[in-house]
Amino acid sequence: MPWKLDSDRPIFLQIIERIQMDIIAGYYQPGDKLPSVRELAQEASVNPNTMQKALSELERTGLVYAQRTSGRFITEDINMIEQLKSQLAKEIVTQFLENMYQLGFQKDEILELLSKTIEVKGENDDTIGM
């Protein structure tokens, strides 16, 4: 999947978010080895120092760990990954609700719209959002 980075926010934060999403979505499994800094930097079209900064931050959080001569790996802590998934989902839902309220929707209208959208999407595709 191509990397979509914009200049409105720090690149290293966008890299962190992208790798987190790849882990949550299962692109990287617990215990998987990450590509090298150079490989990831080339894939994302960023400076290796920027990629190194992002990976160091992911290490600091414990989502990624380094083995001295073997490279970096995804944590095997399933609970940590599930907590991150829940946290990000709550942030997305909160932002969605704030946007809907700003548009003037009420709770019951939002629920009805969601229900109809899920129903229509389900008829067209078995996977929501895919």
Side-chain angles (χ1 to χ4, degrees):
M1 180 182 343
W3 291 65
K4 295 179 185 175
L5 305 172
D6 61 56
S7 59
D8 295 345
R9 297 181 28 230
I11 299 297
F12 87 97
L13 291 176
Q14 294 177 66
I15 292 169
I16 290 169
E17 291 167 356
R18 165 64 188 266
I19 293 173
Q20 287 176 333
M21 292 299 275
D22 284 349
I23 293 168
I24 290 169
Y27 181 77
Y28 295 121
Q29 296 292 316
D32 278 358
K33 184 177 190 290
L34 282 172
S36 72
V37 171
R38 289 190 191 281
E39 290 171 320
L40 285 170
Q42 185 175 19
E43 182 182 326
S45 299
V46 300
N47 185 301
N49 292 332
T50 304
M51 185 59 70
Q52 176 64 37
K53 182 177 180 181
L55 292 172
S56 293
E57 180 59 22
L58 287 168
E59 275 185 57
R60 191 189 66 72
T61 66
L63 195 58
V64 170
Y65 65 93
Q67 287 188 338
R68 197 166 187 100
T69 58
S70 301
R72 287 188 171 91
F73 296 82
I74 305 302
T75 183
E76 294 178 21
D77 185 346
I78 305 294
N79 289 330
M80 175 186 279
I81 294 171
E82 287 299 318
Q83 286 177 348
L84 177 62
K85 184 176 185 175
S86 292
Q87 175 190 339
L88 291 176
K90 286 177 187 175
E91 290 172 12
I92 290 168
V93 169
T94 299
Q95 185 63 50
F96 167 77
L97 290 173
E98 287 173 5
N99 290 339
M100 295 303 285
Y101 290 136
Q102 285 179 356
L103 289 172
F105 282 88
Q106 299 300 314
K107 180 180 175 181
D108 57 337
E109 294 172 310
I110 296 169
L111 290 170
E112 183 179 341
L113 179 60
L114 280 172
S115 179
K116 285 181 181 178
T117 304
I118 290 170
E119 187 178 309
V120 169
K121 183 65 177 164
E123 290 173 1
N124 297 334
D125 190 342
D126 289 337
T127 57
I128 302 299
M130 299 288 168

